[in-house]
Amino acid sequence: MYATIRPFLELCVMSRGPQDLPASPAWLVIATLGYFAVGAAMAWPLYPPGLALLSAMLDVALLFGLTAALLAWRGLLARWLQTVLALAASGLVMGLVALPIVFHLYRAVISGEEAAFAALVYWVLVGWIVAVYGFVFTHALSLRSRWTGLGVALGYFVVSWVVMQAAFPSGQLGGTEG
């Protein structure tokens, strides 16, 4: 089992690039379903179930579409499968790590507790996933500088965040819309 998931874990510590992953539609389906499930789980306390599922679907659509647009811009659309697999798999792994922290933060907000350490860990994980996405984009887009890849990743997250906020304005804990 470990040998199967090892390439994806190594991707998250940036010791493997997307080119080292199998160009496997089956792995893409598995990683995408996991990415979708983690996204829906994170949104579930904020939105009614239908909206939580829709937000996770939009997140997956953005992952697929923005990645295709970036690769098409560089004339490297043939790399789409491995790039999206790398992004979805790393998003899944990092999301699984972040999920208990996010739920702890939700619980702290509801109870009015301080959760400074959990918030710090959450922002470290956000920085880490931006760095991993930057690493993936550096390789996938054949960029000369990792800083450029990091800039692309930041741009990706900003565009994704703006679209998600426009489609799903801030929800409230407890599943009611605000």
Side-chain angles (χ1 to χ4, degrees), residues 6-8 10-21 135:
R6 183 177 173 177
F8 303 107
E10 290 177 346
L11 179 70
C12 291
V13 293
M14 296 175 261
S15 64
R16 261 186 211 242
Q19 69 278 3
D20 300 321
L21 298 178
F135 178 77

Side-chain angles (χ1 to χ4, degrees), residues 23-51:
S24 165
W27 273 112
L28 179 59
V29 169
I30 293 167
T32 301
L33 288 174
Y35 180 85
F36 170 81
V38 168
M42 284 193 187
W44 208 277
L46 298 173
Y47 301 104
L51 284 181

Side-chain angles (χ1 to χ4, degrees), residues 47-59:
Y47 301 104
L51 284 181
L53 293 174
L54 279 175
S55 75
M57 277 193 258
L58 179 59
D59 189 25

Side-chain angles (χ1 to χ4, degrees), residues 2 15 35-36 44 48 74 85-86 96 107 116 130 143 145 158:
Y2 178 71
S15 64
Y35 180 85
F36 170 81
W44 208 277
R74 296 282 291 174
L85 174 59
L96 288 172
R107 220 177 10 254
V130 171
L143 301 173
S145 163
V158 167

Side-chain angles (χ1 to χ4, degrees), residues 104-152:
H104 179 76
L105 290 171
Y106 287 160
R107 220 177 10 254
V109 168
I110 290 171
S111 65
E113 296 174 12
E114 288 288 323
F117 183 72
L120 176 66
V121 172
Y122 172 78
W123 284 109
V124 167
L125 288 174
V126 169
W128 191 351
I129 192 66
V130 171
V132 170
Y133 273 38
F135 178 77
V136 170
F137 284 131
T138 300
H139 284 271
L141 299 172
S142 295
L143 301 173
R144 292 185 183 181
S145 163
R146 286 192 179 191
W147 290 106
T148 306
L150 189 60
V152 171

Side-chain angles (χ1 to χ4, degrees), residues 88-100:
S90 60
L92 167 62
V93 171
M94 298 298 291
L96 288 172
V97 171
L99 204 53

